[in-house]
């Protein structure tokens, strides 16, 4: 976990918003893990979320000062670079929408 993160293949940096609130995490769809961290998973899909080939995984520690953010395959085991293939442009658009929503909810902020 780090204070600032870059998604594989992207040039933008993100950090945790200084105004973050625990209830905002739960409202946004984060779930609490056994270790007390907050985890967010969202499939990146074109037509159906059940056929998604990639997902966004975001984890914030329980102290709300460190985060990880990565785009992975459906199993969550391998990092995927969705920015290098032009056919994956709809996934990039969905990712941008999700990140904008998390910014609007004061969870993450551009660095």
């Amino acid at each position: 976990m780090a204070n600032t993160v870059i998604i594989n293949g992207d040039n933008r940096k993100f950090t945790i918003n200084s105004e973050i609130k625990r209830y905002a995490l739960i409202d946004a769809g984060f779930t609490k893990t056994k270790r007390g961290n907050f985890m967010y998973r969202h499939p990146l899909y074109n037509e159906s979320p059940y056929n998604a080939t990639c997902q966004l995984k975001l984890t914030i520690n329980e102290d709300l000062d460190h985060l990880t953010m990565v785009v992975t395959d459906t199993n969550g085991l391998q990092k995927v670079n969705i920015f290098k293939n032009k056919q994956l442009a709809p996934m990039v658009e969905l990712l941008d929408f999700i990140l904008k929503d998390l910014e609007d909810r004061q969870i993450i902020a551009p660095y």
Side-chain angles (χ1 to χ4, degrees):
M1 292 198 168
N3 290 337
T4 60
V5 295
I6 301 173
I7 296 176
N8 187 25
D10 198 359
N11 56 3
R12 298 173 292 180
K13 293 182 181 181
F14 294 96
T15 187
I16 296 176
N17 191 313
S18 60
E19 302 295 320
I20 191 170
K21 304 283 188 256
R22 291 183 191 272
Y23 65 83
L25 294 173
I26 295 167
D27 287 346
F30 283 78
T31 57
K32 199 164 187 179
T33 64
K34 290 181 181 179
R35 293 186 176 182
N37 298 331
F38 294 93
M39 180 175 271
Y40 178 81
R41 290 181 187 218
H42 196 286
L44 300 175
Y45 53 89
N46 295 329
E47 292 86 28
S48 171
Y50 302 107
N51 297 332
T53 56
C54 300
Q55 68 176 339
L56 171 67
K57 285 176 57 176
L58 198 144
T59 306
I60 299 176
N61 72 338
E62 65 180 327
D63 296 330
L64 305 179
D65 59 357
H66 286 75
L67 88 141
T68 60
M69 189 179 341
V70 66
V71 175
T72 66
D73 60 358
T74 53
N75 297 330
L77 301 175
Q78 294 184 346
K79 291 181 181 179
V80 176
N81 184 348
I82 62 173
F83 296 95
K84 67 180 180 180
N85 188 342
K86 294 185 187 230
Q87 293 178 336
L88 300 178
M91 285 187 186
V92 174
E93 288 179 26
L94 181 59
L95 176 67
D96 291 341
F97 178 79
I98 293 168
L99 295 176
K100 178 71 173 123
D101 181 54
L102 294 175
E103 285 181 40
D104 291 345
R105 293 174 184 254
Q106 297 182 336
I107 294 173
I108 62 172
Y111 185 74

